[in-house]
Amino acid sequence: MTKFSVIKQRSLWWIISAVIILAGIASMAISTAQLGAPLRPGLDFVGGTRLQVELDCSVSGNCDEPIDLAEVREVLNEQDLGNSTIQRIGAAQQGLTIRTKTLDVEQRSQLQSALSEQIGEFDPAATQIDTVGPIIGQQLFTSGLLALLVSFAGILVYLSFRFQFDYAFLAFIALLHDVLVTLGIFSILGLVQGVEVDSLFVVALLTIIGFSVNDTVVIYDRIREVIAKHPDQHIDQIVDDAINQTLTRSINTTLTTVLTLVSIFLFGGETLKYFALALIVGFIAGAYSSIFIASTLLALWRERTGQTKATQVIEAEFLDKA
């Protein structure tokens, strides 16, 4: 049976990751210049009022055509809300999300009335209005960033105890890869599609980190088992053997999880749509980094440090202790 070799094509895996990450970094730089943030911030982080409405299709002729964004922008300009963010929602584009500065009750009522006169009658049951203050938004951002840093530090400490430090550091690089890929994809979506990130996005990043490190630990455990059985085998062969032994498990685990998330993305509604998409991107990136990045970097590191065989690693540890 032909075995799959990750080592043989490792330059290709690194190039693919580098291209995606660099594209994401470029997008984040452009987004920072245009929006003042690397990703388009949602209401949770910057504060303001979000109004979500949908046309009432029970009214005759009310849903014949998608909402015209030019008409919506005209209404907002008349209400002195020209800097607001507008996004059509729904398969038929007959829903609307508007994110604007903080509005009081009277201002919200005026805006809804003006939109209804210009566009059509809205379904009261589908109308959602959220208001978040800027201080709360800053606190959410700070708490989310702190949670990410603590999780990274905790994982690095855990893996250092579980494995040798080089395993832990390279697993950390793989986790950083997954986060950068997810951030980059959502930065691009923010520029192209106006997709915003909120507090659920931070939850998604934390979930991605946990999922990815679990997959990496499984592969590293298998590498360690193969080393114990074949201490004189070259590290490249060890990594290839370990990947082939865990490849089916990694693919099946990721595939079954992603299929569930795709269902949530398609049918879970607007609230969970981009949360599910973030998990889909992150889980795929996590499986990719565990198989193609963390393992091949370990092999490269052992080659560069002259520890291509387990016996050489033992000798190096003995000399360090001496």
Side-chain angles (χ1 to χ4, degrees), residues 185-234:
I185 294 296
F186 269 76
S187 178
I188 293 171
L189 289 174
L191 289 176
V192 177
Q193 296 290 334
V195 174
E196 300 175 349
V197 296
D198 54 17
S199 54
L200 278 179
F201 184 74
V202 178
V203 176
L205 290 180
L206 293 170
T207 308
I208 290 164
I209 291 171
F211 183 91
S212 178
V213 75
N214 175 69
D215 214 11
T216 303
V217 165
V218 170
I219 292 174
Y220 276 175
D221 262 335
R222 188 55 57 89
I223 289 175
R224 198 162 55 174
E225 290 174 7
V226 176
I227 288 175
K229 292 179 180 178
H230 307 284
D232 292 326
Q233 202 170 64
H234 193 279

Side-chain angles (χ1 to χ4, degrees), residues 7-8 12 15 29 32 42 50-51 65 86 95 120 128 138 147 154 182 206 210 213 215 230 255 275 287 294 298 314:
I7 297 296
K8 187 176 180 181
L12 174 62
I15 289 172
T32 300
R50 178 175 58 196
L51 173 65
E65 297 180 358
I86 310 170
Q128 297 180 18
Q138 292 173 4
T182 307
L206 293 170
V213 75
D215 214 11
H230 307 284
L255 184 60
F275 171 69
L298 178 64
I314 295 171

Side-chain angles (χ1 to χ4, degrees), residues 88-136:
R88 285 184 297 200
I89 59 175
Q93 296 187 332
Q94 292 169 346
L96 190 67
T97 295
I98 300 172
R99 183 170 65 83
T100 185
K101 64 182 182 181
T102 303
L103 305 177
D104 57 30
V105 176
E106 183 179 352
Q107 290 172 318
R108 294 199 301 263
S109 298
Q110 290 178 354
L111 177 58
Q112 287 180 267
S113 298
L115 287 170
S116 182
E117 290 176 7
Q118 182 72 24
I119 299 170
E121 293 187 38
F122 295 115
D123 182 0
T127 301
Q128 297 180 18
I129 302 175
D130 303 310
T131 300
V132 176
I135 295 177
I136 296 176

Side-chain angles (χ1 to χ4, degrees), residues 4 7 14 19 28 82 85 157 165 171 185 193 229-230 263 281 284 299:
F4 176 64
I7 297 296
W14 297 342
V19 168
M28 286 188 276
T85 300
V157 171
F165 180 74
I185 294 296
Q193 296 290 334
K229 292 179 180 178
H230 307 284
S263 299
V281 172
I284 293 175

